[in-house]
Amino acid sequence: MMKYILVTGGVISGIGKGIIASSVGTILKSCGLHVTAIKIDPYINIDAGTFSPYEHGEVFVLDDGGEVDLDLGNYERFLDIRLTKDNNLTTGKIYQSVINKERRGDYLGKTVQVVPHITDAIQEWVMKQAKVPVDGDETEPQVCVIELGGTVGDIESMPFIEAFRQFQFKVKRENFCNIHVSLIPQPSATGEQKTKPTQNSVRELRGLGLSPDLIMCRCTTALENSVKEKISMFCHVEPQQVICVHDVSSIYRVPLLLEDQGVVGYLSSRLNMPIETKSRTMLTKWKEMSDRSDRLLEQCSIALVGKYTKFSDSYASVIKALEHSALAISHRLEVKYIDSASLEPTTLQEEPVKYHDAWQKLCSADGVLVPGGFGVRGTEGKIHAINWARKQRKPFLGVCLGMQLAVCEYARNVLGWPDANSTEFDPESKHPVVIDMPEHNPGQMGGTMRLGKRRTIFKTSNSIMRKLYGDAEYVEERHRHRFEVNPELKSHFEDKGFHFVGQDVEGERMEIIELDDHPYFVGVQYHPEFTSRPIKPSPPYLGLLLAAAGKLQGYLQKGCRLSPRDVYSDRSGSSTPDSEISEIPTCY
């Protein structure tokens, strides 16, 4: 029977349910179980595609083109799985499916209500999606971790709570358990850990018909025994069912924290799961990775020039991809967030201090990254940053819009087309070097972009990017864009040493750019950060970090292998990231 683990949250949102759900999945997967994950978002949007990054952070894109919550990115990175758009369930999707059924007459004239029709639809969706293979080997999962977004007590999450109240009886007690994540505040005035918010949260959850099997307490410092016993007494659980998840140096330590407190043993007995007792290689690797992360001495700084820099979750996958690559080359990562609008001459007139501070950050960085984005605000600042990186021979990576703006910058300053631009920003430009894709509907925003996994063919055998991908003939990466480089102008660029080394299968869409006579000037139309993994870093990001640390040429000369000091020890008896990095093409 499928085992279901529901993760709910109390007191505040953004408490870390996604990392905890991912960590529970990770320690179970390390025991040899096949694990899948579902994220439930109670908002009415059909998907996350039309959100501002300041609302919920970045929009994560899946292989099938699903635009989903960033927590699915955590699931994929922690569990090394490939999810589909139906692994992200929203109120909008559920109501849309029920209303469509009602319009077809599936309910035979009955009054359609939240109970039982909406709650039944939620349960059916979860049971169906839990069986979908996610490991790439077509094996049906054995465990499904379900994260319910928001906070217990929110009016919009009530139908989901009720659905799972019913669900626990439908699948039987031995196949369902509830982990409740709650906050233990520690006011600075007294320094005392307070349990009352958790007591109230658990009381409310129990009043709605769900009793937590594990209470995971988020706190700044480790829980004191007296606090743990108090929670146990007032929340109707054993002391060993109260798990402390205090702040740690790296999120990679969270699975180890849960493992040390006996979470696997408890879930094994509570859900009657067959757990392997042999040495768990996967968890050993996580420990080595965490220890290594804490020991890094050398530092590498990357200037992230974007327009959503006030909220780091806007670039969650980008930051993770940079971290994975920095860890692979044994460097501590420093990200310098730069609001691209601050680099523009208008800022010099209006706020000179902000302007000079932004340029100082850019000039002191070891490498420059311009990520994706939409809208005209800040684009000229990004072009100024790209121009500086090209002229100063600073390692540069442009992703999606970043690549398109690199094309615009080169057209303006090398080809001599001062009005060169994207039709997204200047529809009347005489040199439209970036144009919209005609097959996409400009009248509707949601789900109308070029989305999901697409193949990119390398057009040359000696490009840096091809070498970083292990000399692969093609790569398959995830896309999310409405605009593309104008293929009619390609020859003008290539004559000047600006090469489109990767193109789509038809040869019509420019996917990868490289510049001659530059240490590392690369742009990609796709989003390689979505497939980066802790021990399998994304090649474009790895190239940027290697170049920024002055190690790229040595890495290429060694056949894309890291030196022994730059890889994990092999005490686990399994492949090191050295071999895994060299095998990256097989993972894409």
Side-chain angles (χ1 to χ4, degrees):
M1 285 290 291
M2 174 69 70
K3 307 297 182 181
Y4 299 92
I5 300 173
L6 175 67
V7 180
T8 55
V11 186
I12 59 170
S13 59
I15 199 171
K17 295 188 299 296
I19 297 297
I20 287 172
S22 303
S23 300
V24 169
T26 300
I27 57 177
L28 291 175
K29 185 169 182 175
S30 75
C31 298
L33 297 169
H34 291 273
V35 182
T36 186
I38 294 174
K39 172 69 189 293
I40 295 175
D41 286 303
Y43 47 66
I44 297 175
N45 303 62
I46 299 295
D47 60 29
T50 55
F51 279 144
S52 157
Y54 285 132
E55 285 280 324
H56 286 266
E58 74 170 5
V59 177
F60 191 81
V61 179
L62 303 171
D63 281 350
D64 64 356
E67 296 174 285
V68 297
D69 186 87
L70 61 81
D71 274 322
L72 276 82
N74 285 324
Y75 304 156
E76 286 205 343
R77 283 186 288 268
F78 272 69
L79 298 168
D80 196 15
I81 54 179
R82 298 289 181 109
L83 301 173
T84 69
K85 59 187 174 186
D86 287 340
N87 286 84
N88 191 194
L89 177 55
T90 69
T91 296
K93 283 181 181 177
I94 285 294
Y95 274 79
Q96 188 180 58
S97 70
V98 169
I99 289 167
N100 288 342
K101 282 184 179 180
E102 187 275 331
R103 291 290 84 188
R104 286 198 307 266
D106 291 5
Y107 295 115
L108 301 174
K110 284 192 171 71
T111 303
V112 180
Q113 298 174 291
V114 172
V115 180
H117 301 102
I118 295 293
T119 52
D120 283 354
I122 292 167
Q123 294 172 62
E124 288 163 13
W125 190 299
V126 167
M127 292 180 81
K128 180 182 175 185
Q129 195 58 32
K131 295 178 181 177
V132 176
V134 292
D135 280 324
D137 58 2
E138 299 306 308
T139 305
E140 188 175 302
Q142 298 161 285
V143 180
C144 179
V145 180
I146 307 155
E147 179 193 346
L148 177 56
T151 317
V152 169
D154 292 346
I155 192 167
E156 59 261 35
S157 63
M158 289 299 184
F160 295 100
I161 296 282
E162 172 59 21
F164 285 108
R165 185 194 68 76
Q166 300 171 19
F167 190 68
Q168 62 187 333
F169 301 112
K170 180 182 285 188
V171 299
K172 305 300 182 213
R173 173 177 162 77
E174 64 271 18
N175 298 316
F176 178 89
C177 81
N178 174 211
I179 295 174
H180 189 61
V181 184
S182 186
L183 178 69
I184 303 293
Q186 196 166 355
S188 56
T190 61
E192 185 185 358
Q193 294 176 327
K194 297 292 185 182
T195 65
K196 192 64 72 179
T198 296
Q199 293 177 42
N200 291 338
S201 177
V202 171
R203 186 184 302 118
E204 182 153 21
L205 184 63
R206 290 171 63 83
L208 295 169
L210 286 173
S211 292
D213 296 284
L214 288 173
I215 299 174
M216 297 212 175
C217 301
R218 286 286 293 113
C219 41
T220 51
T221 56
L223 273 187
E224 297 164 15
N225 278 336
S226 59
V227 175
K228 195 179 257 197
E229 286 166 7
K230 190 174 182 182
I231 293 169
S232 163
M233 181 168 62
F234 284 103
C235 295
H236 200 66
V237 292
E238 295 277 350
Q240 63 263 32
Q241 292 170 262
V242 180
I243 307 297
C244 168
V245 188
H246 56 79
D247 292 349
V248 285
S249 57
S250 159
I251 59 170
Y252 306 128
R253 289 208 172 275
V254 180
L256 305 171
L257 200 60
L258 302 186
E259 165 74 9
D260 290 344
Q261 294 177 74
V263 170
V264 167
Y266 177 80
L267 292 175
S268 173
S269 60
R270 169 69 180 76
L271 295 173
N272 191 24
M273 286 190 293
I275 297 290
E276 294 180 9
T277 54
K278 67 176 187 181
S279 171
R280 288 151 66 186
T281 300
M282 182 176 164
L283 224 53
T284 307
K285 277 191 176 185
W286 277 85
K287 185 171 189 325
E288 288 186 8
M289 186 167 60
S290 304
D291 292 343
R292 195 158 174 261
S293 167
D294 291 342
R295 289 197 307 263
L296 299 177
L297 298 175
E298 292 181 274
Q299 185 164 293
C300 187
S301 61
I302 300 295
L304 192 155
V305 184
K307 59 189 287 190
Y308 312 115
T309 52
K310 291 175 186 171
F311 185 40
S312 62
D313 269 1
S314 302
Y315 299 111
S317 292
V318 170
I319 301 303
K320 290 290 182 289
L322 289 171
E323 287 175 354
H324 300 161
S325 298
L327 192 58
I329 65 166
S330 294
H331 277 62
R332 187 178 295 280
L333 175 70
E334 181 192 4
V335 179
K336 297 175 182 275
Y337 292 96
I338 301 173
D339 186 338
S340 54
S342 300
L343 299 171
E344 296 174 0
T346 51
T347 307
L348 176 59
Q349 305 299 321
E350 296 165 6
E351 298 178 84
V353 174
K354 182 187 280 189
Y355 174 84
H356 289 296
D357 183 51
W359 274 101
Q360 191 277 329
K361 280 185 182 177
L362 181 67
C363 295
S364 62
D366 299 315
V368 180
L369 171 65
V370 178
F374 296 92
V376 70
R377 183 180 70 81
T379 53
E380 291 302 317
K382 291 178 182 178
I383 288 175
H384 284 302
I386 294 166
N387 176 259
W388 180 84
R390 180 176 61 81
K391 288 183 173 177
Q392 298 298 319
R393 296 173 58 78
K394 280 283 182 183
F396 165 78
L397 174 63
V399 175
C400 196
L401 177 63
M403 169 186 142
Q404 295 172 3
L405 293 178
V407 172
C408 293
E409 187 279 327
Y410 201 79
R412 290 181 188 182
N413 298 306
V414 179
L415 301 187
W417 300 341
D419 71 330
N421 213 330
S422 166
T423 55
E424 180 181 5
F425 314 128
D426 181 8
E428 306 303 320
S429 171
K430 290 180 181 175
H431 293 95
V433 293
V434 177
I435 57 175
D436 62 325
M437 294 181 286
E439 70 267 34
H440 294 287
N441 177 7
Q444 187 168 327
M445 296 292 283
T448 58
M449 290 184 272
R450 183 170 180 246
L451 292 163
K453 186 168 77 172
R454 311 279 175 142
R455 181 168 291 188
T456 295
I457 311 290
F458 284 108
K459 295 296 182 182
T460 174
S461 60
N462 62 350
S463 74
I464 289 175
M465 282 297 292
R466 179 164 181 167
K467 290 173 184 174
L468 286 170
Y469 275 102
D471 202 30
E473 292 183 6
Y474 64 86
V475 293
E476 291 183 327
E477 295 275 14
R478 298 174 183 179
H479 293 67
R480 184 178 186 246
H481 63 110
R482 282 196 182 89
F483 294 81
E484 61 175 338
V485 174
N486 190 341
E488 293 178 8
L489 302 176
K490 180 176 79 166
S491 59
H492 295 278
F493 289 89
E494 299 209 313
D495 291 344
K496 295 281 188 178
F498 190 95
H499 300 290
F500 298 98
V501 299
Q503 298 170 23
D504 73 343
V505 176
E506 289 78 26
E508 295 173 357
R509 299 215 157 101
M510 306 302 112
E511 295 279 359
I512 306 173
I513 62 165
E514 282 184 23
L515 182 62
D516 284 347
D517 301 320
H518 194 287
Y520 190 80
F521 191 96
V522 169
V524 290
Q525 183 59 75
Y526 50 81
H527 288 266
E529 63 270 17
F530 292 145
T531 48
S532 184
R533 301 287 183 263
I535 53 176
K536 286 180 279 189
S538 166
Y541 286 92
L542 181 63
L544 176 66
L545 266 294
L546 284 165
K551 296 184 176 184
L552 180 59
Q553 288 309 312
Y555 179 74
L556 296 176
Q557 286 165 8
K558 289 175 186 172
C560 291
R561 297 186 73 82
L562 293 165
S563 60
R565 65 177 291 276
D566 285 334
V567 297
Y568 304 90
S569 72
D570 202 20
R571 291 193 301 274
S572 60
S574 61
S575 62
T576 65
D578 183 10
S579 60
E580 294 198 8
I581 288 170
S582 68
E583 293 165 5
I584 279 172
T586 62
C587 307
Y588 279 78

